[in-house]
């Protein structure tokens, strides 16, 4: 056997057909070892990386490729497969019968040449033959590898009754109900974007992760150029498929999938934060699962990670390994021990989804506040933090029947008109979009220059979100919400003109003493008071009813 060093991407092009033929013969479905992936990575992202790409020749024929990146520490050469921080999986490019001979030859050569060597291999799928052979090599040489695993859920279409599986899973977490609500509000479609629309994908990803900690750098610098370049690939086994979930001509979610010979790998997924309550990420995920099944893919790979939505859909799980092993010298063993300790801690933390969520959300929120937060944002964050340990809430419920109203001092005319969800989307406010989800009819000021919300009405339920109360309204009653204190007299008069025979309910919290005073002046009567107190683990809830018309209020949940 002979080891050939390929030093430039131009030189690599001479080997493209051989590389592709090897993977085609093996029916490879790992897109991250395809020639198109590596070549474009080397051209765009890996320019400054120390790449050592080897081809193995046997009797005049190339039988394998080993794409490594190398770094030095303590005089030790650390070999990794290329794309460690960008490729989900890795491996060796070789036919099955040549895997063990090629791996043995290459690794022996590297150890003999450099003596102090560490192999740090990421993304080794346990289901792949190359992973087993690499481990076999180290075990036979008595170089005991440290192995770290992360779960990799997937959906194998040939293992399930798809229609039954799909119908069951789409009902989890009320995804089918959320989809119906969204479709009732407007047009919801799946779209395949053109090349000049991809900026919306990167913009949506940045919006989704603005207040979270993202380590993928999907939209940053050279990586963005690389992912955009992959979408241009034609005629390759590796293909990128971008799917957008479009609501009323606006992207609310997308997936960036990397496909290879019947395997679809979900690489990036993001959704519009203002539509959080509708679960657009889950909606777009189910749409892609349905599409990939209809297009005869055999595997829907949800990629590494413990996110709950992956386990909702998976039919089975694989594991992705990181393998650390040294050449056996004392110096190499010492450094391997250092890296193994870090990797063990990382594996333990990543295996605890609560820790992952805390890092992603809490630390991400703090980072955002440090960079962009105003005094108001810090105060709100401080309040939420304190309320985790001690909290007091008091909310009064008021009723205005048609006979109790007080005539306003000025006419109301047609001051307010209904706000459409298309107009609400321009306001970029998650709270307003959530009102549509909850079934409110929202009104705006008819004569204002902007579509600022004035108030919202519900004809079925009354709710106090801060106390997690949702109760059915009595007949002939509406519930009024949103920040209505300043114009409560005008809003009340407008409601009575619009619904003269209906009763109106409204709430006021403990701190809104001006609002409570004004409600009494307008003829509202307090019908119920709800209290909630929490100190550490102690919680107490109490409800007081002042009249029989207070509805079916029994407790604070």
């Amino acid at each position: 056997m002979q080891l050939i060093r390929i030093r430039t991407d131009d030189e690599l092009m001479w080997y493209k057909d051989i590389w592709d033929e090897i993977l085609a013969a093996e029916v490879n479905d790992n897109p991250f070892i395809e020639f198109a992936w590596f070549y474009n990575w080397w051209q765009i992202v890996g320019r400054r990386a120390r790449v050592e790409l080897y081809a193995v020749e046997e009797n005049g024929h190339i039988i394998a490729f080993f794409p490594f990146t190398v770094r030095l520490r303590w005089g030790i050469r650390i070999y990794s497969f290329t794309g460690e921080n960008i490729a989900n999986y890795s491996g060796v490019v070789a036919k099955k019968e040549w895997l063990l001979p090629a791996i043995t030859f290459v690794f022996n050569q590297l150890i003999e040449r450099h003596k102090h060597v560490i192999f740090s291999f990421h993304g080794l799928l346990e289901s792949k033959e190359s992973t087993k052979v690499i481990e076999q090599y180290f075990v036979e040489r008595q170089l005991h590898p440290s192995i770290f695993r992360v779960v990799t859920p997937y959906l194998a279409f040939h293992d399930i009754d798809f229609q039954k599986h799909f119908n069951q899973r789409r009902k989890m977490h009320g995804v089918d109900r959320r989809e119906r609500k969204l479709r009732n509000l407007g047009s919801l479609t799946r779209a395949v974007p053109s090349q000049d629309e991809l900026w919306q994908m990167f913009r949506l990803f940045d919006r989704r992760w603005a207040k979270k900690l993202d380590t993928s750098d999907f939209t940053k610098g050279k990586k963005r150029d690389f992912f955009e370049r992959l979408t241009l690939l034609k005629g390759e086994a590796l293909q990128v498929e971008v799917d957008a979930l479009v609501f009323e001509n606006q992207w609310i979610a997308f997936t960036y999938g990397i496909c290879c010979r019947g395997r679809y790998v979900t690489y990036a997924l993001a959704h519009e934060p203002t539509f959080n309550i509708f679960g657009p990420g889950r909606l777009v995920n189910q749409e892609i699962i349905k599409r990939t099944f209809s297009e005869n893919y055999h595997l829907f790979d949800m990629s590494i990670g413990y996110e709950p939505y992956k386990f909702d859909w998976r039919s089975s799980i694989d594991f992705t390994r990181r393998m650390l092993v040294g050449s056996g010298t004392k110096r190499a063993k010492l450094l391997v021990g250092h890296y193994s300790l870090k990797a063990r801690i990382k594996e333990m933390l990543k295996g605890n989804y609560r820790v992952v969520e805390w890092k992603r959300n809490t630390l991400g929120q703090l980072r955002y506040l440090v960079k962009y937060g105003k005094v108001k944002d810090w105060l709100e964050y401080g309040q939420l933090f304190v309320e985790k340990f001690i909290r007091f809430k008091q909310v009064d419920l008021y009723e205005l029947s048609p006979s109790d109203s007080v005539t306003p001092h000025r006419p109301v005319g047609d001051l307010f008109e209904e706000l459409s969800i298309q107009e609400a989307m321009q306001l970029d406010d998650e709270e307003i979009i959530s009102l549509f989800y909850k079934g409110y009819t929202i009104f705006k000021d008819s004569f204002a220059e902007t579509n600022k919300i004035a108030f919202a009405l519900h004809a079925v339920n009354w709710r106090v979100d801060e106390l997690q109360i949702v109760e059915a309204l009595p007949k002939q009653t509406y519930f009024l919400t949103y920040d209505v204190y300043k114009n409560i007299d005008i809003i009340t008069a407008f409601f009575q003109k619009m619904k003269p025979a209906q009763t109106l309910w409204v709430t006021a919290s403990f701190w809104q003493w001006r609002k409570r005073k004004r409600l009494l002046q307008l003829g509202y009567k307090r019908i119920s008071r709800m209290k909630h107190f929490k100190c550490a683990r102690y919680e107490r809830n109490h409800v007081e009813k002042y009249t029989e018309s207070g509805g079916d209020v029994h407790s604070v949940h």
Side-chain angles (χ1 to χ4, degrees), residues 427-468:
L427 301 177
D428 191 21
D429 190 324
E430 183 178 351
E431 184 180 1
I432 295 174
I433 297 297
S434 69
L435 291 175
F436 281 98
Y437 175 84
K438 294 167 186 174
Y440 285 95
T441 302
I442 304 174
F443 292 85
K444 65 174 182 176
D445 189 332
S446 302
F447 301 101
E449 294 182 359
T450 59
N451 291 325
K452 186 177 180 180
I453 181 174
F455 63 94
L457 287 173
H458 207 296
V460 180
N461 297 322
W462 70 278
R463 61 194 303 145
V464 183
D465 291 329
E466 55 191 322
L467 298 181
Q468 298 180 3

Side-chain angles (χ1 to χ4, degrees), residues 82-99:
T82 53
E84 186 168 4
N85 296 318
I86 194 170
N88 290 8
Y89 312 131
S90 61
V92 176
V93 179
K95 289 186 179 180
K96 186 176 180 179
E97 63 267 25
W98 286 109
L99 266 175

Side-chain angles (χ1 to χ4, degrees), residues 29 125 128 258-265 297-299 301:
D29 63 358
L125 277 167
K128 297 299 182 183
I258 302 174
C259 313
C260 185
R261 297 185 181 90
R263 185 188 197 114
Y264 179 99
V265 182
Y297 282 78
H298 68 266
L299 200 70
D301 184 339

Side-chain angles (χ1 to χ4, degrees), residues 239-294:
Q239 293 292 316
V240 166
E241 295 179 358
V242 179
D243 294 86
L245 193 65
V246 181
F247 178 73
E248 290 295 309
N249 298 319
Q250 178 177 318
W251 284 34
I252 61 169
F254 81 88
T255 58
Y256 184 98
I258 302 174
C259 313
C260 185
R261 297 185 181 90
R263 185 188 197 114
Y264 179 99
V265 182
T266 303
Y267 190 85
L269 184 153
H271 66 266
E272 172 58 53
T274 57
F275 277 79
N276 267 335
I277 197 165
F278 286 97
R282 291 182 181 273
L283 290 178
V284 73
N285 190 59
Q286 77 171 21
E287 286 296 312
I288 307 313
I289 289 173
K290 185 166 60 174
R291 178 182 67 79
T292 49
F293 172 77
S294 68

Side-chain angles (χ1 to χ4, degrees), residues 180-451:
R180 283 196 302 271
K181 286 188 176 185
L182 200 53
R183 291 190 184 279
N184 288 336
L185 290 168
S187 169
L188 181 68
T189 57
R190 182 185 66 83
V192 178
S194 61
Q195 195 68 28
D196 58 3
E197 292 177 307
L198 290 182
W199 64 270
Q200 296 191 63
M201 173 179 72
F202 296 113
R203 171 184 169 274
L204 193 57
F205 191 90
D206 283 337
R207 282 180 57 81
R208 170 72 178 107
W209 289 94
K211 296 182 181 180
K212 297 178 182 292
L213 207 59
D214 168 45
T215 56
S216 71
D217 292 334
F218 180 70
T219 65
K220 303 296 189 297
K222 295 295 184 181
K223 287 187 179 180
R224 172 172 175 161
D225 297 338
F226 170 68
F227 291 120
E228 200 162 2
R229 171 82 70 85
L230 291 183
T231 63
L232 299 172
L233 293 177
K234 303 294 181 186
E236 302 284 350
L238 181 154
Q239 293 292 316
V240 166
E241 295 179 358
V242 179
D243 294 86
L245 193 65
V246 181
F247 178 73
E248 290 295 309
N249 298 319
Q250 178 177 318
W251 284 34
I252 61 169
F254 81 88
T255 58
Y256 184 98
I258 302 174
C259 313
C260 185
R261 297 185 181 90
R263 185 188 197 114
Y264 179 99
V265 182
T266 303
Y267 190 85
L269 184 153
H271 66 266
E272 172 58 53
T274 57
F275 277 79
N276 267 335
I277 197 165
F278 286 97
R282 291 182 181 273
L283 290 178
V284 73
N285 190 59
Q286 77 171 21
E287 286 296 312
I288 307 313
I289 289 173
K290 185 166 60 174
R291 178 182 67 79
T292 49
F293 172 77
S294 68
E295 294 178 3
N296 297 318
Y297 282 78
H298 68 266
L299 200 70
F300 187 88
D301 184 339
M302 286 164 256
S303 195
I304 58 176
Y306 293 86
E307 290 82 356
Y309 78 89
K310 296 179 180 179
F311 291 95
D312 291 345
W313 282 98
R314 63 109 180 113
S315 62
S316 189
I317 59 173
D318 200 348
F319 286 91
T320 303
R321 291 183 175 183
R322 183 182 178 195
M323 191 178 295
L324 273 170
V325 60
S327 56
T329 63
K330 289 184 179 179
R331 197 189 305 175
K333 285 181 179 179
L334 186 63
L335 190 56
V336 166
H338 170 68
Y339 283 144
S340 295
L341 178 61
K342 290 175 63 177
R344 190 68 66 195
I345 294 171
K346 187 176 180 180
E347 180 189 45
M348 180 180 66
L349 294 176
K350 282 195 169 184
N352 188 329
Y353 185 67
R354 291 180 64 183
V355 174
V356 173
E357 204 171 35
W358 177 84
K359 174 189 171 185
R360 181 183 297 163
N361 297 331
T362 305
L363 292 186
Q365 176 77 5
L366 285 172
R367 185 191 64 171
Y368 179 83
L369 287 173
V370 169
K371 285 186 173 182
Y372 309 109
K374 299 177 182 178
V375 174
K376 180 184 176 183
D377 299 322
W378 279 102
L379 289 174
E380 288 178 355
Y381 182 81
Q383 180 183 349
L384 292 173
F385 180 78
V386 170
E387 287 183 352
K388 291 180 181 179
F389 307 99
I390 184 167
R391 178 169 64 235
F392 174 72
K393 300 284 185 183
Q394 177 180 295
V395 178
D396 292 342
L397 179 64
Y398 291 86
E399 176 185 82
L400 180 68
S401 62
S403 60
D404 294 329
S405 62
V406 177
T407 305
H409 296 296
R410 49 181 171 156
V412 293
D414 296 321
L415 284 180
F416 305 105
E417 61 185 59
E418 194 170 332
L419 182 77
S420 67
I421 193 166
Q422 293 84 352
E423 293 171 321
M425 288 162 64
Q426 307 305 316
L427 301 177
D428 191 21
D429 190 324
E430 183 178 351
E431 184 180 1
I432 295 174
I433 297 297
S434 69
L435 291 175
F436 281 98
Y437 175 84
K438 294 167 186 174
Y440 285 95
T441 302
I442 304 174
F443 292 85
K444 65 174 182 176
D445 189 332
S446 302
F447 301 101
E449 294 182 359
T450 59
N451 291 325

Side-chain angles (χ1 to χ4, degrees), residues 22 26 30 80 156 170 266 326 370 537:
I22 291 173
E26 290 300 303
N30 176 2
S80 305
R170 72 189 298 266
T266 303
V370 169
R537 294 187 177 181

